[in-house]
PDB file of all heavy atoms in Angstrom:
ATOM      1  N   VAL A   1      11.373   9.044  -8.359  1.00  0.00           N
ATOM      2  CA  VAL A   1       9.929   9.250  -8.404  1.00  0.00           C
ATOM      3  C   VAL A   1       9.207   7.903  -8.517  1.00  0.00           C
ATOM      4  O   VAL A   1       8.204   7.633  -7.818  1.00  0.00           O
ATOM      5  CB  VAL A   1       9.552  10.172  -9.582  1.00  0.00           C
ATOM      6  CG1 VAL A   1       8.042  10.229  -9.770  1.00  0.00           C
ATOM      7  CG2 VAL A   1      10.095  11.566  -9.342  1.00  0.00           C
ATOM      8  N   LEU A   2       9.701   7.046  -9.401  1.00  0.00           N
ATOM      9  CA  LEU A   2       9.109   5.723  -9.558  1.00  0.00           C
ATOM     10  C   LEU A   2       9.144   4.916  -8.262  1.00  0.00           C
ATOM     11  O   LEU A   2       8.171   4.261  -7.878  1.00  0.00           O
ATOM     12  CB  LEU A   2       9.822   4.957 -10.676  1.00  0.00           C
ATOM     13  CG  LEU A   2       9.480   5.358 -12.107  1.00  0.00           C
ATOM     14  CD1 LEU A   2      10.422   4.665 -13.073  1.00  0.00           C
ATOM     15  CD2 LEU A   2       8.026   5.028 -12.442  1.00  0.00           C
ATOM     16  N   GLN A   3      10.286   4.979  -7.568  1.00  0.00           N
ATOM     17  CA  GLN A   3      10.420   4.249  -6.316  1.00  0.00           C
ATOM     18  C   GLN A   3       9.435   4.772  -5.266  1.00  0.00           C
ATOM     19  O   GLN A   3       8.790   3.985  -4.552  1.00  0.00           O
ATOM     20  CB  GLN A   3      11.857   4.380  -5.786  1.00  0.00           C
ATOM     21  CG  GLN A   3      12.152   3.628  -4.504  1.00  0.00           C
ATOM     22  CD  GLN A   3      12.033   2.123  -4.675  1.00  0.00           C
ATOM     23  OE1 GLN A   3      12.271   1.614  -5.771  1.00  0.00           O
ATOM     24  NE2 GLN A   3      11.656   1.413  -3.611  1.00  0.00           N
ATOM     25  N   ALA A   4       9.303   6.104  -5.182  1.00  0.00           N
ATOM     26  CA  ALA A   4       8.367   6.669  -4.222  1.00  0.00           C
ATOM     27  C   ALA A   4       6.925   6.281  -4.548  1.00  0.00           C
ATOM     28  O   ALA A   4       6.133   5.959  -3.635  1.00  0.00           O
ATOM     29  CB  ALA A   4       8.517   8.191  -4.193  1.00  0.00           C
ATOM     30  N   ARG A   5       6.579   6.294  -5.864  1.00  0.00           N
ATOM     31  CA  ARG A   5       5.226   5.921  -6.254  1.00  0.00           C
ATOM     32  C   ARG A   5       4.962   4.433  -5.930  1.00  0.00           C
ATOM     33  O   ARG A   5       3.872   4.069  -5.508  1.00  0.00           O
ATOM     34  CB  ARG A   5       5.032   6.183  -7.745  1.00  0.00           C
ATOM     35  CG  ARG A   5       5.052   7.655  -8.139  1.00  0.00           C
ATOM     36  CD  ARG A   5       3.767   8.348  -7.720  1.00  0.00           C
ATOM     37  NE  ARG A   5       2.610   7.825  -8.388  1.00  0.00           N
ATOM     38  CZ  ARG A   5       2.192   8.217  -9.602  1.00  0.00           C
ATOM     39  NH1 ARG A   5       2.867   9.149 -10.236  1.00  0.00           N
ATOM     40  NH2 ARG A   5       1.123   7.691 -10.151  1.00  0.00           N
ATOM     41  N   TRP A   6       5.975   3.599  -6.147  1.00  0.00           N
ATOM     42  CA  TRP A   6       5.792   2.159  -5.863  1.00  0.00           C
ATOM     43  C   TRP A   6       5.625   1.930  -4.362  1.00  0.00           C
ATOM     44  O   TRP A   6       4.784   1.126  -3.936  1.00  0.00           O
ATOM     45  CB  TRP A   6       6.991   1.393  -6.384  1.00  0.00           C
ATOM     46  CG  TRP A   6       6.904  -0.076  -6.085  1.00  0.00           C
ATOM     47  CD1 TRP A   6       7.584  -0.769  -5.137  1.00  0.00           C
ATOM     48  CD2 TRP A   6       6.031  -1.026  -6.725  1.00  0.00           C
ATOM     49  NE1 TRP A   6       7.218  -2.089  -5.144  1.00  0.00           N
ATOM     50  CE2 TRP A   6       6.250  -2.287  -6.113  1.00  0.00           C
ATOM     51  CE3 TRP A   6       5.088  -0.938  -7.749  1.00  0.00           C
ATOM     52  CZ2 TRP A   6       5.555  -3.409  -6.495  1.00  0.00           C
ATOM     53  CZ3 TRP A   6       4.400  -2.078  -8.120  1.00  0.00           C
ATOM     54  CH2 TRP A   6       4.642  -3.296  -7.514  1.00  0.00           C
ATOM     55  N   GLU A   7       6.407   2.612  -3.553  1.00  0.00           N
ATOM     56  CA  GLU A   7       6.291   2.455  -2.104  1.00  0.00           C
ATOM     57  C   GLU A   7       4.935   2.943  -1.629  1.00  0.00           C
ATOM     58  O   GLU A   7       4.305   2.331  -0.735  1.00  0.00           O
ATOM     59  CB  GLU A   7       7.405   3.216  -1.398  1.00  0.00           C
ATOM     60  CG  GLU A   7       8.776   2.614  -1.622  1.00  0.00           C
ATOM     61  CD  GLU A   7       9.897   3.438  -1.034  1.00  0.00           C
ATOM     62  OE1 GLU A   7       9.591   4.547  -0.499  1.00  0.00           O
ATOM     63  OE2 GLU A   7      11.059   3.010  -1.084  1.00  0.00           O
ATOM     64  N   GLN A   8       4.402   4.014  -2.225  1.00  0.00           N
ATOM     65  CA  GLN A   8       3.075   4.511  -1.887  1.00  0.00           C
ATOM     66  C   GLN A   8       2.009   3.482  -2.269  1.00  0.00           C
ATOM     67  O   GLN A   8       1.059   3.222  -1.527  1.00  0.00           O
ATOM     68  CB  GLN A   8       2.786   5.828  -2.608  1.00  0.00           C
ATOM     69  CG  GLN A   8       1.410   6.418  -2.386  1.00  0.00           C
ATOM     70  CD  GLN A   8       1.198   6.884  -0.941  1.00  0.00           C
ATOM     71  OE1 GLN A   8       2.162   7.104  -0.221  1.00  0.00           O
ATOM     72  NE2 GLN A   8      -0.077   7.031  -0.547  1.00  0.00           N
ATOM     73  N   TYR A   9       2.199   2.870  -3.458  1.00  0.00           N
ATOM     74  CA  TYR A   9       1.255   1.838  -3.907  1.00  0.00           C
ATOM     75  C   TYR A   9       1.248   0.646  -2.934  1.00  0.00           C
ATOM     76  O   TYR A   9       0.173   0.131  -2.545  1.00  0.00           O
ATOM     77  CB  TYR A   9       1.636   1.369  -5.288  1.00  0.00           C
ATOM     78  CG  TYR A   9       0.981   0.099  -5.735  1.00  0.00           C
ATOM     79  CD1 TYR A   9      -0.392   0.028  -6.008  1.00  0.00           C
ATOM     80  CD2 TYR A   9       1.729  -1.084  -5.877  1.00  0.00           C
ATOM     81  CE1 TYR A   9      -0.999  -1.160  -6.397  1.00  0.00           C
ATOM     82  CE2 TYR A   9       1.145  -2.265  -6.272  1.00  0.00           C
ATOM     83  CZ  TYR A   9      -0.222  -2.310  -6.538  1.00  0.00           C
ATOM     84  OH  TYR A   9      -0.825  -3.479  -6.905  1.00  0.00           O
ATOM     85  N   GLU A  10       2.432   0.190  -2.511  1.00  0.00           N
ATOM     86  CA  GLU A  10       2.503  -0.935  -1.586  1.00  0.00           C
ATOM     87  C   GLU A  10       1.881  -0.605  -0.261  1.00  0.00           C
ATOM     88  O   GLU A  10       1.195  -1.438   0.361  1.00  0.00           O
ATOM     89  CB  GLU A  10       3.969  -1.358  -1.391  1.00  0.00           C
ATOM     90  CG  GLU A  10       4.571  -2.036  -2.610  1.00  0.00           C
ATOM     91  CD  GLU A  10       5.955  -2.568  -2.306  1.00  0.00           C
ATOM     92  OE1 GLU A  10       6.743  -1.829  -1.620  1.00  0.00           O
ATOM     93  OE2 GLU A  10       6.293  -3.685  -2.753  1.00  0.00           O
ATOM     94  N   PHE A  11       2.085   0.644   0.237  1.00  0.00           N
ATOM     95  CA  PHE A  11       1.505   1.072   1.504  1.00  0.00           C
ATOM     96  C   PHE A  11      -0.038   1.047   1.417  1.00  0.00           C
ATOM     97  O   PHE A  11      -0.699   0.492   2.310  1.00  0.00           O
ATOM     98  CB  PHE A  11       2.005   2.483   1.836  1.00  0.00           C
ATOM     99  CG  PHE A  11       1.319   3.107   3.027  1.00  0.00           C
ATOM    100  CD1 PHE A  11       1.627   2.728   4.319  1.00  0.00           C
ATOM    101  CD2 PHE A  11       0.337   4.075   2.842  1.00  0.00           C
ATOM    102  CE1 PHE A  11       0.987   3.303   5.415  1.00  0.00           C
ATOM    103  CE2 PHE A  11      -0.310   4.664   3.917  1.00  0.00           C
ATOM    104  CZ  PHE A  11       0.019   4.267   5.214  1.00  0.00           C
ATOM    105  N   GLU A  12      -0.573   1.624   0.357  1.00  0.00           N
ATOM    106  CA  GLU A  12      -2.032   1.645   0.215  1.00  0.00           C
ATOM    107  C   GLU A  12      -2.597   0.238   0.031  1.00  0.00           C
ATOM    108  O   GLU A  12      -3.702  -0.058   0.496  1.00  0.00           O
ATOM    109  CB  GLU A  12      -2.410   2.545  -0.954  1.00  0.00           C
ATOM    110  CG  GLU A  12      -2.084   4.019  -0.718  1.00  0.00           C
ATOM    111  CD  GLU A  12      -2.463   4.894  -1.888  1.00  0.00           C
ATOM    112  OE1 GLU A  12      -2.929   4.336  -2.923  1.00  0.00           O
ATOM    113  OE2 GLU A  12      -2.332   6.121  -1.781  1.00  0.00           O
ATOM    114  N   ARG A  13      -1.841  -0.625  -0.657  1.00  0.00           N
ATOM    115  CA  ARG A  13      -2.292  -2.021  -0.823  1.00  0.00           C
ATOM    116  C   ARG A  13      -2.372  -2.736   0.523  1.00  0.00           C
ATOM    117  O   ARG A  13      -3.321  -3.479   0.810  1.00  0.00           O
ATOM    118  CB  ARG A  13      -1.343  -2.765  -1.764  1.00  0.00           C
ATOM    119  CG  ARG A  13      -1.771  -4.193  -2.084  1.00  0.00           C
ATOM    120  CD  ARG A  13      -0.677  -4.918  -2.829  1.00  0.00           C
ATOM    121  NE  ARG A  13       0.537  -4.982  -2.010  1.00  0.00           N
ATOM    122  CZ  ARG A  13       1.683  -5.494  -2.452  1.00  0.00           C
ATOM    123  NH1 ARG A  13       1.775  -5.951  -3.688  1.00  0.00           N
ATOM    124  NH2 ARG A  13       2.735  -5.552  -1.652  1.00  0.00           N
ATOM    125  N   ASP A  14      -1.353  -2.525   1.371  1.00  0.00           N
ATOM    126  CA  ASP A  14      -1.348  -3.164   2.695  1.00  0.00           C
ATOM    127  C   ASP A  14      -2.494  -2.621   3.558  1.00  0.00           C
ATOM    128  O   ASP A  14      -3.132  -3.397   4.287  1.00  0.00           O
ATOM    129  CB  ASP A  14      -0.011  -2.898   3.388  1.00  0.00           C
ATOM    130  CG  ASP A  14       1.156  -3.631   2.689  1.00  0.00           C
ATOM    131  OD1 ASP A  14       0.871  -4.545   1.874  1.00  0.00           O
ATOM    132  OD2 ASP A  14       2.311  -3.246   2.921  1.00  0.00           O
ATOM    133  N   ILE A  15      -2.749  -1.312   3.489  1.00  0.00           N
ATOM    134  CA  ILE A  15      -3.859  -0.745   4.266  1.00  0.00           C
ATOM    135  C   ILE A  15      -5.184  -1.355   3.819  1.00  0.00           C
ATOM    136  O   ILE A  15      -6.060  -1.706   4.631  1.00  0.00           O
ATOM    137  CB  ILE A  15      -3.875   0.778   4.126  1.00  0.00           C
ATOM    138  CG1 ILE A  15      -2.631   1.400   4.798  1.00  0.00           C
ATOM    139  CG2 ILE A  15      -5.135   1.367   4.699  1.00  0.00           C
ATOM    140  CD1 ILE A  15      -2.568   1.149   6.290  1.00  0.00           C
ATOM    141  N   THR A  16      -5.347  -1.488   2.473  1.00  0.00           N
ATOM    142  CA  THR A  16      -6.574  -2.069   1.955  1.00  0.00           C
ATOM    143  C   THR A  16      -6.764  -3.506   2.440  1.00  0.00           C
ATOM    144  O   THR A  16      -7.859  -3.917   2.823  1.00  0.00           O
ATOM    145  CB  THR A  16      -6.565  -2.037   0.413  1.00  0.00           C
ATOM    146  OG1 THR A  16      -6.415  -0.701  -0.038  1.00  0.00           O
ATOM    147  CG2 THR A  16      -7.837  -2.623  -0.162  1.00  0.00           C
ATOM    148  N   ALA A  17      -5.665  -4.259   2.430  1.00  0.00           N
ATOM    149  CA  ALA A  17      -5.742  -5.646   2.905  1.00  0.00           C
ATOM    150  C   ALA A  17      -6.139  -5.706   4.382  1.00  0.00           C
ATOM    151  O   ALA A  17      -6.920  -6.578   4.818  1.00  0.00           O
ATOM    152  CB  ALA A  17      -4.415  -6.340   2.689  1.00  0.00           C
ATOM    153  N   MET A  18      -5.606  -4.781   5.185  1.00  0.00           N
ATOM    154  CA  MET A  18      -5.937  -4.746   6.607  1.00  0.00           C
ATOM    155  C   MET A  18      -7.405  -4.380   6.813  1.00  0.00           C
ATOM    156  O   MET A  18      -8.087  -4.909   7.707  1.00  0.00           O
ATOM    157  CB  MET A  18      -5.024  -3.751   7.323  1.00  0.00           C
ATOM    158  CG  MET A  18      -3.563  -4.180   7.344  1.00  0.00           C
ATOM    159  SD  MET A  18      -2.471  -2.923   8.077  1.00  0.00           S
ATOM    160  CE  MET A  18      -3.035  -2.999   9.794  1.00  0.00           C
ATOM    161  N   VAL A  19      -7.928  -3.457   5.978  1.00  0.00           N
ATOM    162  CA  VAL A  19      -9.345  -3.075   6.086  1.00  0.00           C
ATOM    163  C   VAL A  19     -10.251  -4.257   5.787  1.00  0.00           C
ATOM    164  O   VAL A  19     -11.217  -4.540   6.498  1.00  0.00           O
ATOM    165  CB  VAL A  19      -9.637  -1.879   5.185  1.00  0.00           C
ATOM    166  CG1 VAL A  19     -11.145  -1.627   5.092  1.00  0.00           C
ATOM    167  CG2 VAL A  19      -8.924  -0.633   5.667  1.00  0.00           C
ATOM    168  N   ILE A  20      -9.894  -4.954   4.676  1.00  0.00           N
ATOM    169  CA  ILE A  20     -10.732  -6.101   4.271  1.00  0.00           C
ATOM    170  C   ILE A  20     -10.696  -7.190   5.362  1.00  0.00           C
ATOM    171  O   ILE A  20     -11.724  -7.825   5.656  1.00  0.00           O
ATOM    172  CB  ILE A  20     -10.224  -6.667   2.921  1.00  0.00           C
ATOM    173  CG1 ILE A  20     -10.450  -5.624   1.815  1.00  0.00           C
ATOM    174  CG2 ILE A  20     -10.910  -7.981   2.585  1.00  0.00           C
ATOM    175  CD1 ILE A  20      -9.856  -6.025   0.477  1.00  0.00           C
ATOM    176  N   ALA A  21      -9.539  -7.407   5.967  1.00  0.00           N
ATOM    177  CA  ALA A  21      -9.418  -8.457   6.991  1.00  0.00           C
ATOM    178  C   ALA A  21      -9.942  -8.000   8.341  1.00  0.00           C
ATOM    179  O   ALA A  21      -9.987  -8.782   9.304  1.00  0.00           O
ATOM    180  CB  ALA A  21      -7.960  -8.870   7.129  1.00  0.00           C
ATOM    181  N   GLY A  22     -10.342  -6.728   8.491  1.00  0.00           N
ATOM    182  CA  GLY A  22     -10.844  -6.232   9.735  1.00  0.00           C
ATOM    183  C   GLY A  22      -9.776  -5.968  10.768  1.00  0.00           C
ATOM    184  O   GLY A  22     -10.065  -5.828  11.957  1.00  0.00           O
ATOM    185  N   GLU A  23      -8.512  -5.904  10.335  1.00  0.00           N
ATOM    186  CA  GLU A  23      -7.417  -5.698  11.296  1.00  0.00           C
ATOM    187  C   GLU A  23      -7.510  -4.321  11.954  1.00  0.00           C
ATOM    188  O   GLU A  23      -7.200  -4.185  13.139  1.00  0.00           O
ATOM    189  CB  GLU A  23      -6.069  -5.857  10.582  1.00  0.00           C
ATOM    190  CG  GLU A  23      -5.780  -7.272  10.107  1.00  0.00           C
ATOM    191  CD  GLU A  23      -5.603  -8.230  11.284  1.00  0.00           C
ATOM    192  OE1 GLU A  23      -5.068  -7.799  12.312  1.00  0.00           O
ATOM    193  OE2 GLU A  23      -6.031  -9.394  11.170  1.00  0.00           O
ATOM    194  N   LEU A  24      -7.889  -3.300  11.230  1.00  0.00           N
ATOM    195  CA  LEU A  24      -7.939  -1.960  11.802  1.00  0.00           C
ATOM    196  C   LEU A  24      -9.010  -1.873  12.879  1.00  0.00           C
ATOM    197  O   LEU A  24      -8.811  -1.203  13.895  1.00  0.00           O
ATOM    198  CB  LEU A  24      -8.179  -0.928  10.690  1.00  0.00           C
ATOM    199  CG  LEU A  24      -7.050  -0.739   9.660  1.00  0.00           C
ATOM    200  CD1 LEU A  24      -7.396   0.402   8.727  1.00  0.00           C
ATOM    201  CD2 LEU A  24      -5.725  -0.462  10.361  1.00  0.00           C
TER     202      LEU A  24
END
């Protein structure tokens, strides 16, 4: 469960970084 939550956190963090950088 912890591993899945951490992977979800990393995924959402990467998406946020892409939004801020205008990559999407």
Side-chain angles (χ1 to χ4, degrees):
V1 172
L2 284 172
Q3 181 66 28
R5 292 286 296 275
W6 178 256
E7 292 175 355
Q8 177 68 19
Y9 165 70
E10 289 186 318
F11 172 76
E12 293 180 356
R13 184 190 61 185
D14 292 344
I15 293 298
T16 301
M18 293 175 68
V19 170
I20 294 174
E23 293 293 325
L24 293 185

